[in-house]
Amino acid sequence: MESWDDFLAPYTQAVEELKVKLKGLRKQFERENIHSPIEFVTGRVKPIVSILDKASLKDIPIDKLGTEIQDIAGLRMMCQFVDDIEQVVELLRGRNDFEIVEERNYISHKKASGYRSYHVVIRYPVQTIHGEKNILAEIQIRTLAMNFWATIEHSLNYKYKGIFPEDIQLRLKRAAEAAFLLDAEMSQIRTEIQEAQRLFSRKKDS
Ligand SMILES: Nc1nc2c(ncn2[C@@H]2O[C@H](COP(=O)(O)OP(=O)(O)OP(=O)(O)O)[C@@H](O)[C@H]2O)c(=O)[nH]1
Ligand SMILES: Nc1ncnc2c1ncn2[C@@H]1O[C@H](COP(=O)(O)OP(=O)(O)OP(=O)(O)O)[C@@H](O)[C@H]1O
């Protein structure tokens, strides 16, 4: 079997390239002075311990890691508003530098934990000195509020090793709903401000 360094090299390459490409989208919106549906982008290569944990949990043989674990290369795109998420997904669907292999909508179908995000799994071609290598990468698209909840829940989960007491589970679910309500309220405020601005400029013109 190849070394971890050799195995992970194309994933590292893909994460670096995709970070540049996806951050580039934000820059294009900024340059054209229009609201960017992308607030910021992060990426990481899955830590080896986490790959091994997932493989053992899901009974994945070592020679199938690249095909069975979809998030060895992971990107995350944070949006201000829930509506921005659909716009980002449309932008991804329109690209021709990778192929979308799966979409998972955990916004309309939230997870039992309360987790919300939109996941897009892509097949990305990495150019290597030995030719093209296709790898899978997972892009998670979420609002800042969804990210706030998921980040804290993830770090608490780590401390509790995945098994929360029931009352904590319930409170986390409620906190996820509170984050979702906050998203809805921010969208509503934005719509009202936009309507007021439209009325104001119409009055000015007449
Ligand atoms: N904080 C948090 N993150 C989650 C939760 N569920 C999923 N995620 C994120 O989403 C990824 C898994 O995405 P899924 O689309 O559920 O992938 P899967 O292969 O079906 O499921 P896993 O076996 O959990 O990886 C995880 O690696 C996390 O980054 C959750 O309840 N809390
Ligand atoms: N797609 C992604 N983009 C950016 N960061 C991510 C992505 N997925 C996970 N991370 C972050 O990378 C770190 C390590 O992730 P790790 O893969 O161990 O967690 P996980 O995603 O919850 O995995 P698992 O599904 O195996 O439990 C965590 O801080 C996690 O929030």
Side-chain angles (χ1 to χ4, degrees), residues 42-47 50-51 53-54 71 73-76 138-140 142 150-151 154:
T42 62
R44 65 96 180 92
V45 174
K46 200 173 182 71
S50 184
I51 297 177
D53 280 353
K54 199 164 186 169
D71 70 336
L75 281 302
R76 211 168 257 171
E138 179 196 67
I139 308 176
Q140 300 177 345
R142 45 170 78 158
T151 303
H154 190 279

Side-chain angles (χ1 to χ4, degrees), residues 128-178:
T128 79
I129 51 173
H130 306 294
E132 190 171 277
K133 185 172 167 55
N134 283 296
I135 59 123
L136 293 176
E138 179 196 67
I139 308 176
Q140 300 177 345
I141 307 137
R142 45 170 78 158
T143 62
L144 297 169
M146 291 171 193
N147 189 49
F148 167 74
W149 181 91
T151 303
I152 296 178
E153 194 263 0
H154 190 279
S155 73
L156 296 174
N157 214 324
Y158 184 77
K159 285 179 196 140
Y160 280 100
K161 300 204 174 357
I163 312 152
F164 287 127
E166 221 168 285
D167 63 318
I168 299 279
Q169 255 176 53
L170 189 67
R171 286 164 73 189
L172 280 167
K173 272 192 216 180
R174 283 205 208 115
E177 283 319 298

